[in-house]
Amino acid sequence: MNDHSPRLNEPLRPIDSAIVPRFAHLATFMRTPYRPTAAGLDIALAGVPFDLGSTNRDGPRHGPAQIREMSRLIRQVNPTTRVAPFDLCQVADVGDAPVNPLDAAGSIEKITEFFSEIAKAGAAPVSVGGDHTVTLPILRGIVKNGPVACVHFDAHADTLDELLGSRINHATPFRRAVEEGIIDPKRTVQIGLRGTRYSDDDIQYGYDVGMRVITMDDFDEMGRKEVVQEIHRVVGQHPTYVTFDIDGLDPVFCPGTGAPEPGGLTMRDAQVVLRGLMGLNLIGGDVCEVSPPLDPQGHTALNGANLMFEILCIVADSVARRKAGR
């Protein structure tokens, strides 16, 4: 009998789809081994099935499960950068952060604790939400020594002070993260903003605190190459977290998301820019807001899985360089 469970002190490898058919065996992120903890890992792949911060079309709590299924299609080497993350790092799926669907505040505490344990184990997390609220407890869990830089892809700024009387939801995480000293606004880049707004205040906070805001209009004017150069200029070699709200993409690429906004990034734009982040000092990343009930065919989740792989590749390259002292 084939035993695909990981053993300590052995290199961890995904199931080879040239040997075991893609549709067979349990679904894990990119067919990696499952590990109950992050001990011994360089990178921990994790789900965060929380959507109690959604304000309209919910369902992202089911995102990790569908993305695990669609990630069966992903192979092991990046076609452009040639990064092979599973050769560079010990990578495994550590399951989902614990949540309580009847307790938003308690769930956020549990998510924070889960990612704090990943950080204590010395692993970098690459995660799937869940709505975009989850980036806040992830960062609370992993950032222990001062604010980090942030590269944020989204149709919306997510910097409101409150929404419907709530100060922690999927429209507020980056304002809270700045206020709590978790991210450095002057080393934060927001890319793809374009959604209609309640008022100009929706986006103004980022400008006021010094974020580099690249709206979709700016993106069109600058082009991919200049956007990548600007990210490197702003972030430098500061420890950096990457977060990708799937609605940063044009809705043709993500019908299954809660707040689709026309006129967004193409998947090719996203791939090129993410690949351009090679060389940054990356500490983790996430993909959020994939809602399977809104796209049962899985087109959105397939793109989410591929974005997760792109983030995994650049994080693995960064972790490998740090381990080598480069």
Side-chain angles (χ1 to χ4, degrees):
M1 179 182 294
N2 287 330
D3 180 5
H4 299 290
S5 61
R7 295 178 174 82
L8 294 177
N9 303 319
E10 289 187 7
L12 301 179
R13 302 292 304 175
I15 295 173
D16 189 341
S17 296
I19 298 172
V20 179
R22 297 176 192 278
F23 52 80
H25 213 267
L26 300 177
T28 59
F29 289 122
M30 285 159 277
R31 311 199 80 189
T32 53
Y34 168 72
R35 295 287 289 272
T37 74
L41 300 183
D42 298 310
I43 298 175
L45 307 181
V48 193
F50 172 94
D51 61 7
L52 296 178
S54 297
T55 54
N56 185 22
R57 307 198 309 167
D58 58 10
R61 67 181 65 184
H62 302 291
Q66 194 184 44
I67 287 179
R68 281 188 175 95
E69 285 291 341
M70 299 310 292
S71 73
R72 293 176 183 270
L73 292 166
I74 295 174
R75 299 180 179 89
Q76 299 183 26
V77 181
N78 191 293
T80 297
T81 64
R82 299 188 179 181
V83 168
F86 311 109
D87 291 342
L88 295 176
C89 294
Q90 291 279 76
V91 183
D93 187 331
V94 296
D96 288 347
V99 298
N100 180 343
L102 301 178
D103 183 358
S107 293
I108 288 168
E109 290 181 7
K110 291 175 184 294
I111 295 165
T112 301
E113 292 168 7
F114 178 84
F115 282 92
S116 181
E117 290 302 313
I118 289 174
K120 287 177 184 176
V126 175
S127 313
V128 169
D131 70 57
H132 220 163
T133 310
V134 306
T135 301
L136 179 61
I138 291 171
L139 288 170
R140 283 175 172 174
I142 69 173
V143 177
K144 304 301 182 185
N145 297 309
V148 299
C150 184
V151 180
H152 171 202
F153 297 83
D154 208 321
H156 313 95
D158 293 354
T159 53
L160 294 184
D161 187 30
E162 66 173 47
L163 187 61
L164 297 172
S166 164
R167 288 172 57 81
I168 296 182
N169 56 71
H170 70 165
T172 66
F174 299 98
R175 189 168 184 142
R176 299 289 89 83
V178 170
E179 292 170 348
E180 294 176 20
I182 297 171
I183 63 171
D184 181 349
K186 293 182 172 57
R187 294 184 185 272
T188 294
V189 186
Q190 296 188 311
I191 303 148
L193 308 191
R194 66 187 184 280
T196 54
R197 303 170 193 158
Y198 299 103
S199 73
D200 279 344
D201 290 343
D202 293 10
I203 194 171
Q204 188 59 42
Y205 178 82
Y207 292 113
D208 290 344
V209 296
M211 292 180 180
R212 178 62 171 100
V213 177
I214 300 176
T215 67
M216 200 61 214
D217 292 335
D218 296 330
F219 188 95
D220 287 341
E221 214 172 286
M222 296 167 68
R224 299 167 184 160
K225 185 175 182 180
E226 188 177 337
V227 168
V228 169
Q229 291 171 343
E230 185 68 352
I231 293 169
H232 280 264
R233 182 192 70 79
V234 173
V235 168
Q237 281 301 299
H238 205 68
T240 301
Y241 188 84
V242 179
T243 179
F244 203 117
D245 186 322
I246 200 79
D247 73 26
L249 299 177
D250 189 273
V252 72
F253 303 101
C254 61
T257 194
E261 302 284 359
L265 300 166
T266 67
M267 266 302 287
R268 183 61 179 164
D269 290 332
Q271 288 173 318
V272 169
V273 175
L274 284 170
R275 291 167 185 172
L277 304 188
M278 289 269 289
L280 296 183
N281 180 15
L282 299 172
I283 61 169
D286 65 56
V287 178
C288 292
E289 297 284 359
V290 173
S291 178
L294 301 175
D295 180 14
Q297 297 302 314
H299 180 62
T300 307
L302 175 62
N303 285 332
N306 276 278
L307 293 173
M308 185 187 191
F309 180 71
E310 295 293 344
I311 293 172
L312 171 62
C313 287
I314 56 177
V315 171
D317 175 75
S318 187
V319 170
R321 285 187 291 103
R322 285 199 295 271
K323 287 171 64 178
R326 299 199 303 270

